[in-house]
Amino acid sequence: MSTQVAPNPTIATREDPMVPRVFKVQSVRRETADTSTLALQPVPPARHVSGRAARVGPGPSDGAASCAFSPGQFNMVYVFGVGEIPISISGSPRQPQHFIHTTRVVGAVTKALCGLKRGAAVGVRGPFGSAWPLREAEGHDVVIVAGGIGLAPLRPAVLELMAHRDRYGRIALLYGTRSPEDMLFRKELERWRGRFDLEVHVTVDRATAEWRGHVGVVTALFHRATFDPSNTMAMMCGPEVMMRFSARELIKRGATVDRIFASMERNMKCAIGTCGHCQFGPMFICKNGPVLPYSALHSWIEWREI
Amino acid sequence: MQEQPLDAFLAAHPFFKELDQAYLHLLAGCASNVVFQPGQYLFREGDQANRFFAIRQGKVALEIAVPGRVAITIETLDDGDVLGWSWIVPPHTKQFDARAVELTRALAFDATCLRGKCEHDPKLGFELMKRFTQLLGQRLQATRLQLLDVYTSSA
C-alpha cells in the first residue's frame, strides 16, 4: 500500500473555497454537559423579495448544494461575528441533506456554536480534507480507536462499515473517555454493543461503583478485542498522546504502520493549505490530512517541536 | 467452567508465558481456585499482601476509598489479568481495595509460600520479579496517562 500523502481533490474542484455557504441550524442536541451535536441545513439560494435579493446572514448563499462528504472530512464552521473553526463531520454520508457536527466547548467559537438556537445562521466552508480508508480496509479486520470527542469523526466511518458489513472481517470499536458522564453517543453505543458483528469496548478514566464497565486507559482494551493485527486496518482519532500509545500497542501486536491511520488536529485557518498554520513536518493537516497513514506520521509525531 | 489442570492454565497464560515447566508446577502447587461474589472484596488497602490473583473469569475493580465520598474506581481487571504486585515488593502491603464487580473466578497464589521459594531459588525470584516489575511499569504508565486527563483537551 502506498503511504504517499496526496492532496484532497475536492479542494481543487471548489470554485472559491474561502467563501462560506450559509446554513441554518436545524437542530441542537446536547450529548454531554459540554458537548452538542448540531444539524446544519443549507439555506436555499437567494430569495427574491420585491425585486431585491434577500439573503440570510452575510456572504453568498449557494447553500442548496449537496452536503455530500467522505467519512473523516471536516468543515470550517463560521459563527458570524465570533470566528471560524474546523469541525469534523459526525453524521452519516448517506444523509446528504445536512451536515452533522459534534463539538465540545473549548473556546469562544465552540461556546457560541453550542449556544446557537434552531434557525440560527452559520457559515460553512467545506467539506475539506482526506477520508478514512474504508475501501482499502475491505477484506481486513478493522479496529477503531477513539478517545473523547475523537469518536465524532469516526462515527461516519462506523456507520459506513456497518452499511457494508459483509465487505470487512472482524470489526472492533475501542472507546476511551474521561468518565461515564462524558460518553458520546451513549444510546448509539448501546445499540452497536448489541450487534453480534461489531465488538464494542468502552473504558473510562474514572468512575464510581455504579459504573459496571471498564476503567483504565484505552490501550488496555486491545487485549480484550478479537482481531488479527497482521491483517488489520486501524483508524484512530483522539488526543495525540493517546494515538501515539495506541499505535505503539498496535505495532507491538503485529500491525503495520501503513495500515494504521490517524486523524490529526492542528490550528487550521484556511483549510486549503495556503496559510501554513497547520503545518506538520512536510505536510499540511488541512490539505494532506486530517486522516493520514501512520507511516507518514510516525517519524514526526514523536518530535516535541512539531 | 470446564475443569482444566492448573499447570496447563498457567502455561497458556500470557503472564506466565515461557516459564520453566518446573516453575509452572511449583506455582500451581501454591495456587488454589477461589470465587468472589459481586461486591465482595478480594482485599483491602493496608492488608498484608499474602496472595495475588490470576483472574480466570469475571471483573475486579481497583478502588481508592475517599473519606466523605464514594469510592473511586481507578482500574478494572478481568479475564487473563494478574492482580496484585505488592506480595513481591516490601513492605508487602496492599495499596488499593479490590472489589469483585461481577462473579469472579480466579487462581489465588500463596505469597508467603512463594516468597520463601524465591529466597531459596534466586533464578525463580528474578524471573518473577521481572514479570511483576513489567506489570508494575504498565500500571504506572496507564496511571500517568489517566493523570494527563487527555480526553478533555481535544477539540
Side-chain angles (χ1 to χ4, degrees):
Chain A
M1 180 185 300
S2 167
T3 58
Q4 202 169 12
V5 177
N8 176 23
T10 60
I11 292 170
T13 57
R14 192 170 303 287
E15 279 183 16
D16 189 346
M18 294 304 290
V19 179
R21 291 180 285 161
V22 177
F23 280 62
K24 71 173 181 182
V25 177
Q26 192 181 9
S27 66
V28 183
R29 188 180 70 228
R30 178 68 67 91
E31 299 284 351
T32 70
D34 61 357
T35 307
S36 298
T37 294
L38 290 88
L40 304 179
Q41 193 176 36
V43 170
R47 297 182 300 273
H48 289 269
V49 181
S50 304
R52 297 176 64 188
R55 296 182 184 281
V56 180
S61 184
D62 60 343
S66 159
C67 297
F69 73 100
S70 296
Q73 288 193 298
F74 68 95
N75 279 324
M76 298 298 294
V77 180
Y78 179 21
V79 181
F80 298 121
V82 184
E84 190 187 50
I85 48 161
I87 312 181
S88 298
I89 304 166
S90 61
S92 168
R94 287 162 193 281
Q95 294 176 330
Q97 69 274 23
H98 54 208
F99 283 129
I100 303 288
H101 289 287
T102 302
T103 183
R104 174 172 288 166
V105 175
V106 290
V109 183
T110 46
K111 186 178 177 187
L113 192 60
C114 289
L116 291 176
K117 304 290 182 204
R118 188 168 179 232
V122 293
V124 174
R125 295 192 294 122
F128 296 114
S130 55
W132 296 112
L134 296 172
R135 182 64 63 85
E136 294 91 327
E138 290 180 8
H140 297 284
D141 289 353
V142 180
V143 175
I144 307 273
V145 189
I149 191 78
L151 182 59
L154 282 163
R155 182 173 173 264
V158 175
L159 295 173
E160 277 304 281
L161 289 167
M162 292 297 103
H164 301 287
R165 185 62 191 85
D166 57 324
R167 296 182 188 174
Y168 304 94
R170 288 166 289 202
I171 303 176
L173 168 62
L174 314 181
Y175 176 43
T177 186
R178 192 187 192 194
S179 71
E181 294 74 34
D182 290 306
M183 195 185 304
L184 281 185
F185 313 129
R186 181 184 291 262
K187 285 181 182 168
E188 195 163 35
L189 278 169
E190 281 305 316
R191 278 204 306 277
W192 289 346
R193 196 199 292 270
R195 293 181 66 128
F196 291 104
D197 56 357
L198 172 65
E199 211 179 321
V200 178
H201 297 278
V202 178
T203 188
V204 300
D205 269 353
R206 277 182 289 281
T208 56
E210 290 87 55
W211 170 249
R212 310 288 295 176
H214 297 299
V215 179
V217 288
V218 74
T219 48
L221 294 178
F222 282 102
H223 82 275
R224 305 179 204 276
T226 316
F227 63 97
D228 172 11
S230 65
N231 184 37
T232 288
M233 191 73 90
M235 303 174 199
M236 311 185 293
C237 186
E240 216 164 288
V241 63
M242 180 218 86
M243 295 197 288
R244 215 167 67 210
F245 279 94
S246 296
R248 282 185 198 166
E249 193 66 33
L250 283 160
I251 293 162
K252 191 176 87 182
R253 289 169 185 274
T256 51
V257 286
D258 57 343
R259 285 196 186 142
I260 300 173
F261 287 77
S263 181
M264 297 294 287
E265 193 177 292
R266 281 294 182 277
N267 181 18
M268 292 189 256
K269 293 291 183 191
C270 72
I272 53 173
T274 57
C275 76
H277 274 89
C278 65
Q279 185 176 359
F280 184 80
M283 298 163 277
F284 291 117
I285 296 301
C286 69
K287 189 173 74 169
N288 305 115
V291 176
L292 290 158
Y294 206 69
S295 52
L297 290 172
H298 76 286
S299 59
W300 300 100
I301 207 164
E302 306 275 349
W303 284 35
R304 293 180 192 184
E305 296 82 3
I306 295 286
Chain B
M1 183 185 288
Q2 206 171 12
E3 286 298 324
Q4 185 187 26
L6 296 188
D7 294 36
F9 170 75
L10 292 178
H13 197 289
F15 187 79
F16 301 103
K17 194 179 164 188
E18 291 172 8
L19 202 60
D20 286 355
Q21 190 60 42
Y23 288 149
L24 288 176
H25 191 64
L26 185 151
L27 279 165
C30 293
S32 57
N33 278 307
V34 287
V35 179
F36 297 93
Q37 299 299 321
Q40 192 179 351
Y41 282 85
L42 284 73
F43 53 78
R44 297 269 197 173
E45 182 186 341
D47 285 354
Q48 276 296 298
N50 292 327
R51 294 197 295 181
F52 69 92
F53 302 89
I55 301 170
R56 304 186 75 162
Q57 190 181 51
K59 185 181 286 179
V60 177
L62 289 176
E63 295 178 342
I64 297 177
V66 185
R69 289 169 55 187
V70 293
I72 296 169
T73 303
I74 53 161
E75 191 172 10
T76 50
L77 303 171
D78 58 14
D79 308 14
D81 282 327
V82 167
L83 169 61
W85 48 263
S86 44
W87 74 275
I88 202 167
V89 183
H92 310 303
T93 306
K94 294 293 187 188
Q95 306 294 312
F96 303 102
D97 295 341
R99 180 180 55 86
V101 177
E102 51 194 55
L103 182 70
T104 299
R105 294 184 171 88
L107 278 185
F109 295 85
D110 183 334
T112 313
C113 164
L114 266 182
R115 277 198 296 263
K117 291 186 187 330
C118 290
E119 293 289 350
H120 285 97
D121 184 347
K123 190 182 167 199
L124 169 66
F126 183 58
E127 193 55 49
L128 289 178
M129 184 63 86
K130 276 194 293 185
R131 289 164 194 256
F132 276 93
T133 309
Q134 197 177 5
L135 181 71
L136 197 52
Q138 286 165 2
R139 299 270 157 84
L140 180 63
Q141 189 190 56
T143 306
R144 282 176 168 171
L145 279 175
Q146 282 172 288
L147 283 174
L148 281 176
D149 203 8
V150 290
Y151 300 132
T152 57
S153 60
S154 183

